[in-house]
Amino acid sequence: MEGASIRNKIDFAPGENHIALRYPNKCFYVPEVFHMAPTDGKVIPLFISDINKSRSILEVYGSKGFDKYINKFIMINNYPIKKVKITGKVIGEKFKDYSDWGERNPKNYVLVTVDDFSGDKTLNIEVKVKEALYLSAGLMFNTSYGKIVEVVGVVNDLSSKRELLAEYISIIGNNDELDLEIESWKEKLEFRKSILSSPWIYEPPKMAYTPMTYTEPKLLRKDYDRKKFKQNLGIIDVDNDNDFIPSIFREDSMLLRQPLRSCHNVIDLTDPTEEDENPEINKEFDVNREFEVEEIDEGVISDSEVQILEVNQVHSRGSNTGVTLQAIEEFQLTLEFIVWMLKYGQSPFKLADIYNYSKVKHLIENSAHLKLLSGPLDPNSQQNIRDTKHEIFHSIRHLLHIKYRLIDVSRNQDVNPHNLYQLTDHLRYCLNILKLHKINEDRTTVLNIESYLGIFKIHSNNLIGDVHYRLINGIIDWILTNEFNDRKDWEYDSKVIEWSYIG
């Protein structure tokens, strides 16, 4: 009878597509609207008891929630939660070693038992921490008992218990620091009171009724020109010749130089009837017309000049725009950009200053010749070489600016490498810590680059973009060689991507 009573209190909300399951006091919404929850994309401070008592996604949604289940979502009240934060005391450790023949295996991990000061030993949780992350936090196996740690990670929903997979861990205090315990409880209670204690209510947007109408499509300019072109010149249908019709790709703040002779194939997609009314504008197109294209001044660029905001990349017949820089050339050029900025210091500078740097200029010129040799253009043409050099230069600048977010470039082409300097300062600090551990305590601590990138992004609020670990290694190598002057005292393990000071 009790089961029947429960079934009578819930329903599947027929006609409400955003509701998966409805109780009298709350609704569980379909996984497709999880991104609208107030907990989405946030690190949620929780008690360990909250995690252990949370509901499994599969328990609520069945097979429909499997995708969210494998992505480590849990349900508290009716809130979907992925990333959680706990604070507690280390009361136990277990080490799992996969190493073979004395070499450290990146699969090694430490299983840390954490108690969040609740006093109930049955409400502890085990935290799975990769060995590299464990060591980089300053923790040592068998010496961490009693330390107060803060852990951020996702919950692994096992059959009989919950386990936390750590993405970040740090020591925030030692045993018997009551103020830390109080602050931890205060943060969790405030979040529970403000968010989790009341059910999440999602209101779908109201859809306005719009009567169905049919509008005759306008004749586009490209269709008009194609029709006129066929009538006047008797050319065969160009619909089957895909190479004849140029395609235009807009790349954010990226300058890609193309041969000037391809510019006449670019047309505006406008209604020809609007232009026919003005005979001065609607003139016959002259294929011999010259186009002026703004170029980079390889000398000093004044602030008063018109600068490039965004440029179209034009693909046309015979052009070889699909050819990109080889990975090794791109990495070498990017690293030379970074090295120049690190040497230059924090004084303001222009893009032209990097462009005129001898090493960068030499690498760009070699890459331009190599690229032109692989295409149909004349590799001896000075015009083609100059355009290709500019294209290569701006592709690297775009990489540093948009993808890696290491620099900012203003409309006047002023460069601000603040993020690069902040990253370098933090790397310099970490390397000093490794060195001091070895010198003062005779303890070898490692810096795992992959773990470091994840930790740095969390602490800096995603200051940088998707920087490849090889660039981080390049910056570290430059610091050790040019600032510390002790590169020979450091060891890099390429198998696990780790640096260590060997003295």
Side-chain angles (χ1 to χ4, degrees):
M1 292 299 294
E2 184 179 353
S5 174
I6 293 175
R7 284 195 295 271
N8 290 334
K9 293 180 181 179
I10 63 174
D11 63 67
F12 297 99
E16 301 284 350
N17 294 336
H18 62 290
I19 298 177
L21 198 63
R22 181 163 56 193
Y23 286 83
N25 59 340
K26 63 183 174 185
C27 296
F28 287 92
Y29 302 103
V30 294
E32 287 77 12
V33 299
F34 277 9
H35 65 283
M36 302 298 293
T39 53
D40 180 67
K42 296 179 181 178
V43 178
I44 310 300
L46 293 177
F47 291 100
I48 292 176
S49 60
D50 292 333
I51 297 174
N52 288 334
K53 295 176 183 178
S54 63
R55 298 185 69 178
S56 168
I57 288 284
L58 296 180
E59 180 186 346
V60 178
Y61 295 96
S63 60
K64 292 182 179 179
F66 185 73
D67 181 63
K68 298 298 182 182
Y69 172 78
I70 62 176
N71 281 285
K72 310 302 181 186
F73 278 83
I74 58 172
M75 299 297 296
I76 295 182
N77 201 338
N78 66 337
Y79 292 90
I81 294 174
K82 181 175 183 180
K83 194 165 290 189
V84 303
K85 178 177 73 173
I86 65 168
T87 305
K89 187 181 298 182
V90 177
I91 61 172
E93 296 171 294
K94 298 176 185 176
F95 180 61
K96 182 63 176 178
D97 189 1
Y98 291 95
S99 300
D100 190 18
W101 300 102
E103 293 186 3
R104 183 184 294 112
N105 193 310
K107 293 182 180 180
N108 294 351
Y109 67 86
V110 181
L111 209 57
V112 184
T113 305
V114 177
D115 171 37
D116 64 355
F117 325 113
S118 63
D120 188 349
K121 299 300 181 183
T122 63
L123 296 180
N124 301 328
I125 193 169
E126 289 185 334
V127 181
K128 188 176 181 180
V129 190
K130 287 188 176 181
E131 182 189 19
L133 180 60
Y134 192 75
L135 296 175
S136 64
L139 294 163
M140 295 292 291
F141 187 66
N142 284 334
T143 63
S144 303
Y145 188 87
K147 287 185 169 59
I148 300 175
V149 295
E150 181 180 89
V151 185
V152 175
V154 295
V155 178
N156 194 17
D157 183 9
L158 303 177
S159 58
S160 58
K161 63 177 182 178
R162 300 286 193 272
E163 179 184 76
L164 191 60
L165 306 180
E167 296 178 358
Y168 164 77
I169 184 170
S170 67
I171 303 172
I172 61 173
N174 294 313
N175 200 1
D176 299 329
E177 294 192 28
L178 186 60
D179 56 329
L180 291 176
E181 299 181 20
I182 294 173
E183 284 297 322
S184 169
W185 278 64
K186 181 181 177 182
E187 179 188 20
K188 295 165 187 172
L189 288 172
E190 286 179 351
F191 189 85
R192 177 188 285 182
K193 181 179 179 181
S194 61
I195 302 290
L196 298 179
S197 59
S198 302
W200 168 38
I201 299 176
Y202 169 67
E203 292 290 343
K206 301 295 183 182
M207 302 298 292
Y209 173 73
T210 304
M212 295 184 63
T213 58
Y214 175 76
T215 305
E216 189 71 25
K218 292 183 178 181
L219 180 66
L220 298 179
R221 176 62 183 270
K222 63 177 182 179
D223 300 323
Y224 172 78
D225 284 352
R226 184 187 294 113
K227 182 178 179 181
K228 189 174 181 180
F229 184 73
K230 290 166 60 178
Q231 288 176 348
N232 294 342
L233 301 181
I235 301 299
I236 60 172
D237 191 353
V238 297
D239 286 337
N240 297 324
D241 189 0
N242 294 328
D243 292 336
F244 179 85
I245 305 172
S247 59
I248 304 171
F249 300 94
R250 188 175 298 278
E251 186 73 22
D252 178 27
S253 74
M254 182 174 180
L255 173 63
L256 293 176
R257 296 287 179 169
Q258 302 300 332
L260 298 183
R261 61 175 176 271
S262 66
C263 294
H264 73 273
N265 286 331
V266 182
I267 56 177
D268 294 329
L269 305 182
T270 56
D271 190 346
T273 58
E274 297 177 2
E275 295 190 358
D276 291 340
E277 297 175 2
N278 190 342
E280 293 298 321
I281 298 176
N282 189 25
K283 295 181 179 180
E284 185 176 354
F285 195 89
D286 183 6
V287 296
N288 296 319
R289 175 183 171 189
E290 294 183 358
F291 287 82
E292 294 182 2
V293 180
E294 183 182 3
E295 299 180 358
I296 296 178
D297 183 2
E298 300 188 11
V300 179
I301 302 177
S302 67
D303 292 344
S304 61
E305 291 181 7
V306 178
Q307 304 300 330
I308 299 164
L309 300 182
E310 58 183 16
V311 180
N312 294 339
Q313 177 182 357
V314 181
H315 293 257
S316 61
R317 171 180 288 178
S319 66
N320 194 29
T321 54
V323 179
T324 58
L325 287 176
Q326 294 181 4
I328 183 65
E329 294 172 333
E330 182 180 274
F331 170 75
Q332 191 176 2
L333 265 172
T334 307
L335 192 58
E336 284 298 341
F337 273 50
I338 290 174
V339 167
W340 185 90
M341 288 185 281
L342 293 176
K343 287 181 178 178
Y344 191 85
Q346 302 195 23
S347 303
F349 59 89
K350 299 275 190 181
L351 275 178
D353 296 327
I354 307 179
Y355 187 81
N356 290 321
Y357 176 47
S358 58
K359 285 188 177 180
V360 170
K361 206 167 188 178
H362 178 70
L363 285 171
I364 289 177
E365 191 162 349
N366 288 344
S367 298
H369 282 288
L370 183 64
K371 186 172 182 179
L372 287 172
L373 286 172
S374 62
L377 301 178
D378 182 6
N380 297 319
S381 169
Q382 293 301 315
Q383 180 71 28
N384 292 334
I385 291 174
R386 184 175 67 253
D387 291 344
T388 307
K389 284 165 61 178
H390 291 173
E391 175 187 336
I392 294 170
F393 175 81
H394 280 283
S395 67
I396 301 299
R397 189 268 307 155
H398 174 83
L399 199 65
L400 289 167
H401 183 194
I402 303 301
K403 183 177 180 182
Y404 297 157
R405 297 204 300 272
L406 292 175
I407 64 172
D408 284 324
V409 182
S410 71
R411 297 176 62 178
N412 292 329
Q413 295 188 357
D414 294 311
V415 183
N416 179 11
H418 172 74
N419 293 357
L420 171 63
Y421 293 145
Q422 196 162 336
L423 172 65
T424 306
D425 288 343
H426 194 263
L427 282 170
R428 194 180 291 114
Y429 167 78
C430 293
L431 293 171
N432 274 317
I433 293 295
L434 266 63
K435 191 173 181 179
L436 290 174
H437 281 177
K438 183 66 175 178
I439 294 173
N440 297 336
E441 305 175 20
D442 195 22
R443 175 160 57 95
T444 301
T445 310
V446 298
L447 177 63
N448 182 275
I449 302 303
E450 290 184 328
S451 298
Y452 170 82
L453 282 171
I455 294 171
F456 183 79
K457 285 184 179 181
I458 292 175
H459 273 288
S460 64
N461 196 21
N462 289 322
L463 179 73
I464 61 175
D466 297 326
V467 179
H468 198 278
Y469 75 86
R470 284 199 293 265
L471 278 181
I472 301 295
N473 284 338
I475 296 174
I476 290 176
D477 189 79
W478 184 86
I479 293 172
L480 300 179
T481 304
N482 296 277
E483 293 187 357
F484 290 7
N485 296 316
D486 59 356
R487 177 63 182 85
K488 64 181 183 302
D489 296 332
W490 294 79
E491 183 179 60
Y492 174 67
D493 189 342
S494 59
K495 292 183 179 179
V496 290
I497 317 176
E498 289 179 350
W499 289 85
S500 58
Y501 182 76
I502 56 177

